[in-house]
Amino acid sequence: MPRRALWLGAAAGIQLRLLANMLDGMVAIASNRASRLGELYNEIPDRVSDVAIIIGAGYAVGGLPGLGYIAACVAVFTAYVRAVGKAAGATNLFVGPMAKPHRMFVLTLVALLMAILPRNWQPSWGEGHAGLASIGLAFIIVGGTLTIVRRLALIVRYLQASA
């Protein structure tokens, strides 16, 4: 029972993190206090929390630490590509298929499934006992890689059109 409660707590924590991030941006814009410095204070904690949550999933039941580290690198690189594109003059691209909200949805879904599914319904294979967390991390890696390629293509197209 405590394990299920921890998974529910993880799902709630992920969603609360997204809600706080969204409300922070909305308040800054609504109060006309959005600034470039605010962007910096928004982006750095976002990357730290992304890495902590994703690597944590690699160490969770059914996860593989290596997949957690790879997925975290992919997540950071998607944000990096967006930031470099913006610095080069392209628009801020938050497109997916595996942007931050999508990554957090996958991990929330994994946490909810781990909380509600009976243990004998949860897949487990290999020496590391990979399971639902590993499947979620694999989705993040594949989807994140597609997101990186898509963002790069859009940035190149935008910059070539404006040259």
Side-chain angles (χ1 to χ4, degrees):
M1 186 60 115
R3 189 173 114 182
R4 292 183 189 282
L6 289 173
W7 281 110
L8 285 174
I14 290 168
Q15 290 304 304
L16 286 172
R17 176 256 177 153
L18 289 175
L19 179 64
N21 189 274
M22 179 187 71
L23 290 175
D24 173 47
M26 289 172 62
V27 167
I29 291 168
S31 65
N32 207 19
R33 298 186 67 179
S35 71
R36 293 175 72 188
L37 187 58
E39 259 189 80
L40 180 68
Y41 288 133
N42 181 59
E43 289 297 319
I44 302 298
D46 269 0
R47 300 301 69 82
V48 172
S49 62
D50 271 354
V51 167
I53 291 168
I54 294 170
I55 290 175
Y59 283 97
V61 172
L64 295 173
L67 285 179
Y69 286 104
I70 294 167
C73 288
V74 168
V76 169
F77 196 58
T78 60
Y80 177 75
V81 166
R82 178 184 48 79
V84 169
K86 183 179 178 188
T91 58
N92 225 350
L93 294 170
F94 293 102
V95 297
M98 199 56 72
K100 178 177 62 178
H102 308 118
R103 292 189 298 268
M104 294 303 116
F105 171 78
V106 167
L107 293 176
T108 300
L109 183 62
V110 165
L112 290 174
L113 287 172
M114 290 295 288
I116 63 172
L117 288 179
R119 277 194 184 180
N120 61 342
W121 288 15
Q122 297 174 13
S124 179
W125 66 93
E127 287 182 33
H129 299 287
L132 288 173
S134 294
I135 293 168
L137 292 169
F139 269 102
I140 291 171
I141 292 167
V142 172
T145 302
L146 292 172
T147 299
I148 291 165
V149 170
R150 182 174 182 209
R151 286 181 182 183
L152 284 171
L154 290 169
I155 290 166
V156 167
R157 198 172 327 150
Y158 180 87
L159 294 176
Q160 286 175 336
S162 63

